Amino acid sequence: EVQLVQSGAEVKKPGESLRISCKGSGYSFTTYWIGWVRQMPGKGLEWMGIIYPADSDTRYSPSFQGQVTVSADKSSSTAYLQWGSLKASDTAMYYCARRYCTSTSCYLGSYDYWGQGTLVTVSS
Amino acid sequence: QSALTQPRSVSGSPGQSVTISCTGTSSDVGGYDYVSWYQQHPGKAPKLMIYDVSKRPSGVPDRFSGSKSGNTASLTISGLQAEDEADYYCCSYAGRYTFVVFGGGTKLTVL
């Protein structure tokens, strides 16, 4: 069974650093892109970036470039999203998701398996 | 403001059909046949319902269908059921610099 299991909720202060994780299982972790999506409280979905674990090829939304870092560890089948200095406006639910692929193709902008989400709260 | 424009809410009675629109530009929806739709129930992760404009992943009922005309994509849900009540988001590939954009989401109420 394909699963993406994310790390637990975090409460941080402005200026602190943070890394959250997304562990994949039940499939070949290195051969599927993993994306990250933000959902601020009561708001819609925002695409942040994506990584290909096999070679760590990474792409970012212009809105998040320089604000976060996406990485992956092949040995532990885990993707990461990290902040160097959190702001109150980073308070949100963060989801990881696996890019949808069939036996013949992979599909841009389509994600078939999602993590349960990690709630990040940044408050002084 | 989201990159793609969706109505904030739509509603319909059980058994009826509803259509949710998603308007973008020639740089995203109109430029590529890579529109997907997601269903999100409160407190849950999104679920892929449609990919590549009109294709359904395995397990998604055929009551859900997608289409596109110009810069506007649409999701139609026929034979509305109570469990279809959720938020729906469109998503489009937007080229190799922006990559992926979402719509602002539409709340579907089943009356």
Side-chain angles (χ1 to χ4, degrees), chain A:
Chain A
E1 178 194 9
V2 173
Q3 283 191 306
L4 295 175
V5 179
Q6 297 186 230
S7 49
E10 302 274 1
V11 179
K12 292 288 190 179
K13 294 185 180 342
E16 291 186 333
S17 62
L18 175 66
R19 188 177 77 167
I20 62 175
S21 65
C22 168
K23 182 174 176 60
S25 62
Y27 73 100
S28 176
F29 180 76
T30 56
T31 58
Y32 285 79
W33 291 80
I34 293 286
W36 288 93
V37 174
R38 181 175 81 173
Q39 188 165 37
M40 299 176 76
K43 302 298 184 181
L45 305 174
E46 300 173 89
W47 189 85
M48 302 177 71
I50 194 169
I51 188 166
Y52 190 62
D55 60 8
S56 289
D57 186 6
T58 308
R59 316 286 166 81
Y60 293 94
S61 161
S63 299
F64 292 93
Q65 178 82 48
Q67 308 305 307
V68 296
T69 301
V70 173
S71 61
D73 177 3
K74 290 186 291 187
S75 66
S76 62
S77 299
T78 302
Y80 299 98
L81 177 66
Q82 68 183 66
W83 294 260
S85 180
L86 286 160
K87 303 183 284 289
S89 57
D90 293 318
T91 294
M93 180 73 81
Y94 293 88
Y95 293 101
C96 64
R98 189 186 80 164
R99 184 173 159 192
Y100 180 51
C101 295
T102 61
S103 57
T104 54
S105 298
C106 290
Y107 300 95
L108 293 167
S110 298
Y111 298 89
D112 59 348
Y113 285 92
W114 292 66
Q116 81 278 21
T118 296
L119 181 62
V120 174
T121 303
V122 184
S123 174
S124 55

Side-chain angles (χ1 to χ4, degrees), chain B residues 7-51:
Chain B
R8 295 198 66 158
S9 64
V10 297
S11 63
S13 299
Q16 289 186 332
S17 295
V18 294
T19 296
I20 300 172
S21 62
C22 169
T23 301
T25 69
S26 59
S27 297
D28 38 63
V29 173
Y32 308 94
D33 287 334
Y34 300 134
V35 176
S36 52
W37 289 89
Y38 296 88
Q39 175 192 67
Q40 187 180 35
H41 287 108
K44 300 294 186 181
K47 175 186 177 182
L48 179 65
M49 306 302 285
I50 296 286
Y51 69 98

